[in-house]
Amino acid sequence: MSKYIVEDTKKITSTRFTAMKAEGKKIAMLTSYDYALARIVDQAGVDSILIGDSASNVMAGNANTLPITLDEMIFYARSVARAVKRAFVICDMPFGTFQVSPNETVRNAIRIVKETGVDAVKLEGGAEIQAHIRAILCAGIPVCGHLGLTPQSINKFGSYGVRAKERAEADKLIEDAKLLDEIGCCGVVLEKIPAQLAAKVAKATRIPMIGIGAGHEVDGQVLVVNDMLGMDPSFKPKFVRHYAHLSETIADAVGQYVSDVKECHFPSLEEQY
Ligand code: KIV
């Protein structure tokens, strides 16, 4: 058994998740999209699992996160929620499901929670969607924010470059993070912003700031699980560390299987009835 499998199965709720900041405990978050991997990720001790709309890229092969639908996110989230016993489970609200009105937003958030069993939803944006976030919170659903490089706005940004390098955008980001804290979000993802700014935001807020490409002076880290497992060796932005080289491991296993089948080395006498 792996030395990382944890025996503490006490569920991390939204209140426990948020309290980790005050307790000085760093939060380890990863994405997951399916039952099999989510089970391992949960057992290995992550504090939180995000069903990110990055599923659009890494599971469905789309060029960005815009095409994934609510039904598709619900399918992934339901599979993950079935597997997880301990981690705090958050599901991304996909593009188009929370921008139109507070009513439509809360209806979609309720669908996600009811049909999947996740603990919380995540939305990209700050002050512009404040009323939408408040509506979800009023329904008793915990909300995680997402500021900085918000991939659903790729067509507005024009690239996946570092955000908030200029003063005006950095100031707005600080104000947005404080607002999300004040209105009762359980945490915020800070994506691809200067480390100094992220540290300042983490100091100015009470809820956890979870960084991805935001340096180490924040309250936790999140990575896309496929990226950190090295499923695509050619995808290696600066903020990603490859903790495994699964692409190579899987190709080796499959290659060996193909060769064993062709050379009649599989199955053996012990592997037949
Ligand atoms: O969709 C996603 O995986 C995310 C993470 C990059 C934070 O939002």
Side-chain angles (χ1 to χ4, degrees):
M1 197 203 243
S2 162
K3 65 177 174 171
Y4 295 107
I5 301 292
V6 290
E7 280 173 12
D8 162 26
T9 53
K10 190 162 175 247
K11 174 75 185 164
I12 301 184
T13 59
S14 69
T15 45
R16 276 191 79 196
F17 175 83
T18 301
M20 286 176 76
K21 176 165 181 159
E23 292 163 4
K25 294 182 185 152
K26 291 274 187 186
I27 295 171
M29 183 190 285
L30 281 176
T31 68
S32 290
Y33 316 98
D34 67 277
Y35 178 87
L37 195 53
R39 195 158 160 264
I40 301 170
V41 169
D42 185 46
Q43 289 178 347
V46 295
D47 303 300
S48 178
I49 293 182
L50 169 69
I51 302 100
D53 59 357
S54 50
S56 179
N57 307 65
V58 299
M59 299 302 284
N62 292 311
N64 56 45
T65 59
L66 301 180
I68 199 162
T69 66
L70 184 58
D71 286 340
E72 287 166 338
M73 285 302 295
I74 286 175
F75 174 81
Y76 290 122
R78 194 188 287 137
S79 313
V80 169
R82 274 193 205 115
V84 176
K85 290 198 166 52
R86 178 177 176 272
F88 179 53
V89 184
I90 306 172
C91 179
D92 254 335
M93 295 194 70
F95 178 63
T97 64
F98 63 89
Q99 287 88 351
V100 177
S101 69
N103 279 351
E104 199 174 303
T105 304
V106 75
R107 205 171 290 124
N108 289 329
I110 288 172
R111 251 201 86 190
I112 291 176
V113 171
K114 217 185 223 323
E115 296 180 30
T116 69
V118 299
D119 304 310
V121 295
K122 175 165 87 57
L123 289 73
E124 296 182 5
E128 322 73 58
I129 54 160
Q130 163 179 191
H132 305 215
I133 293 174
R134 284 185 195 272
I136 306 176
L137 291 168
C138 281
I141 300 171
V143 175
C144 181
H146 186 155
L147 301 171
L149 175 64
T150 45
Q152 292 177 14
S153 300
I154 183 60
N155 290 332
K156 182 174 85 177
F157 295 151
S159 86
Y160 289 103
V162 177
R163 300 305 311 176
K165 288 198 281 192
E166 307 301 330
R167 180 73 188 268
E169 196 177 330
D171 287 349
K172 175 171 170 13
L173 191 144
I174 296 172
E175 288 315 307
D176 279 344
K178 287 186 184 163
L179 176 73
L180 296 178
D181 183 351
E182 271 160 36
I183 67 178
C185 287
C186 61
V188 175
V189 167
L190 296 178
E191 182 164 351
K192 229 172 165 186
I193 61 170
Q196 269 193 346
L197 172 63
K200 196 167 163 190
V201 175
K203 281 196 188 83
T205 48
R206 294 160 304 174
I207 55 173
M209 296 293 132
I210 313 295
I212 171 163
H216 71 274
E217 284 186 68
V218 285
D219 309 302
Q221 299 291 332
V222 56
L223 283 176
V224 169
V225 73
N226 296 51
D227 297 346
M228 60 85 78
L229 291 177
M231 290 291 281
D232 176 0
S234 69
F235 187 70
K236 178 70 184 70
K238 195 174 177 180
F239 63 87
V240 169
R241 185 181 296 177
H242 285 161
Y243 282 87
H245 304 281
L246 280 202
S247 155
E248 220 176 288
T249 307
I250 294 171
D252 284 349
V254 173
Q256 185 62 56
Y257 167 75
V258 170
S259 126
D260 284 354
V261 168
K262 292 191 185 294
E263 290 167 24
C264 292
H265 292 155
F266 177 82
S268 66
L269 292 180
E270 292 73 36
E271 288 161 329
Q272 68 185 27
Y273 296 100

